[in-house]
Amino acid sequence: MQQKPRLGFWQIWNMNFGFLGIQFGFGLQLANMSAIYAKLGAKPDEIPILWLAGPMTGLLVQPIIGSMSDRTWCWLGRRRPYFMAGAVFSCVALFFMPDAPALWVAAMMLWVLDASINISMEPFRAFVADKLPPEQRTAGFVMQSFFIGIGAAVANALPSILTRFGVTGNAANGVPLTVQYAFKLGALAFLLAVLWTVCTSGEYPPEDMEEFLKKKHSRRGFHIQPAFIGVGSLAGTLLGWSRAALIVHGQTLPHIFGGALVGALIGSVLSGPEVSGALREMPRTMRQLAVVQFFTWLGLFCMWMFFTLATAQQVFGVTDPKSPAFDEGTAFGGQTLAWYSFICFLVAFVLPSLAKMANRKLVHMLALLCGGISLLATGFIHDRILWQCTMIGIGIAWASILSMPYAILSGALPPARTGVYMGIFNFFIVIPEIIASLCLQPVVKLLFSNDPVKVVMLGGGCLLAAAALVAFVNDVGDVPVAAVIHIPQTTRSVETG
């Protein structure tokens, strides 16, 4: 296999710059969608099911796009066509999202937005493995963490920034104008950032183009595997029945049929020969990381869904969505979330050095501990300053979550199947989110009495569990000394040497 050349700082910067735009899309929805849903009439216990769009589209879209991009080569390259297509659709969805006149319209727009973001995002993970030699991949994923941090920080704070510039009032649907304008500015930022990466970063063609084309044209067609459909349908049926019995106390047949349909759809996606084959041959390290990811993202999803509502209740003492103090509280919650992204942006470049001095597992374990303790602390804090200080631990955890698992994973994957395995790795992010969306409602309503603070604390417990499970992961390729990003002394791009 031909050795890939080392890339300079600015080359790694350019190839990951598109993540800045992608995070505008994620940051805006994570900080504002629960409040938008509340403005459009959703009750707290209904919020989780309305967030189902993100994990479901990730589960369905990412493995398909990963497999397709592994087999793509055109004038624009392998991954960049998907960057571009996803960015265009995401831009349109972001622009119109806050104008939704009703709750169901907002929910449908979130499905479109999340599907489009996943089309752009999945190939970016494989792009790092495609472009960088093994000793620089940790640096590549850390650069993505940097852009995710700064993008989310700006996106979360954007409504508050617009308020300081004199933007006030609400739109006809009750959504604050600051949120509406923030989404429209985010749409533009998303498109421009991805365009920058597409225009400034090339791709390496397949080493043996003739063999690549031969495999592409001789690949097996899509075959439905009844076992996958059956298992998916059964799992969906059980979830639908459980939801009907425990939550809505009626409408059993629609929930059962709906669950079975969704399960069958997921099973059909997994029936693809590339996806099903990759699942059977999943590397050991990936299986171990999967359990860590499950608890990590279950905890994060608890935080994202309820943190702004928890802020309004715990810091501002209000739960009525029609109260002006509620708007102030949720806005402060979004502003607080911006701090963890800012901390992530500061911490990102320290992680390679820490991983070099210790190892990636230890760094990731300690980072998750910081995040878990910070979320548990929200149950005991009422002061605004201390409330914002909880984001220090979350920011440290977030910087590691976005880089260390992928750096550990990339060394365990076969290069020809990086795209599809990165897509499958996303399963262990979206499956806990789907479980949270479908199962948190009875927990929030019956166990936590619609108290959003307790859900955030539950997220802290999940992060602590994930930290403990990191100890059982086998990192097959620790970071070499040369993995640290070499920052040039001048502002000129460093040429590949």
Side-chain angles (χ1 to χ4, degrees), residues 323-401:
S323 167
F326 181 85
D327 291 342
E328 185 182 357
T330 54
F332 182 77
Q335 183 181 345
T336 300
L337 287 173
W339 281 107
Y340 90 76
S341 300
F342 181 71
I343 297 297
C344 169
F345 142 67
L346 293 178
V347 169
F349 286 120
V350 179
L351 291 181
S353 297
L354 293 177
K356 177 184 67 173
M357 290 187 293
N359 60 69
R360 294 184 287 208
K361 286 174 53 177
L362 181 59
V363 169
H364 194 47
M365 184 185 302
L366 293 176
L368 290 174
L369 281 173
C370 290
I373 293 169
S374 295
L375 288 185
L376 287 175
T378 59
F380 308 95
I381 295 174
H382 300 277
D383 178 76
R384 294 192 187 193
I385 300 298
L386 291 178
W387 187 261
Q388 290 184 317
C389 286
T390 61
M391 292 297 104
I392 296 174
I394 298 300
I396 294 171
W398 185 232
S400 184
I401 289 166

Side-chain angles (χ1 to χ4, degrees), residues 288-348:
Q288 295 164 338
L289 281 170
V291 186
V292 176
Q293 292 289 86
F294 179 91
F295 283 97
T296 298
W297 288 87
L298 183 60
L300 290 173
F301 208 53
C302 289
M303 179 188 74
W304 286 329
M305 282 192 296
F306 287 96
F307 190 82
T308 55
L309 301 179
T311 304
Q313 175 178 308
Q314 190 78 344
V315 180
F316 287 77
V318 61
T319 57
D320 180 10
K322 299 185 183 301
S323 167
F326 181 85
D327 291 342
E328 185 182 357
T330 54
F332 182 77
Q335 183 181 345
T336 300
L337 287 173
W339 281 107
Y340 90 76
S341 300
F342 181 71
I343 297 297
C344 169
F345 142 67
L346 293 178
V347 169

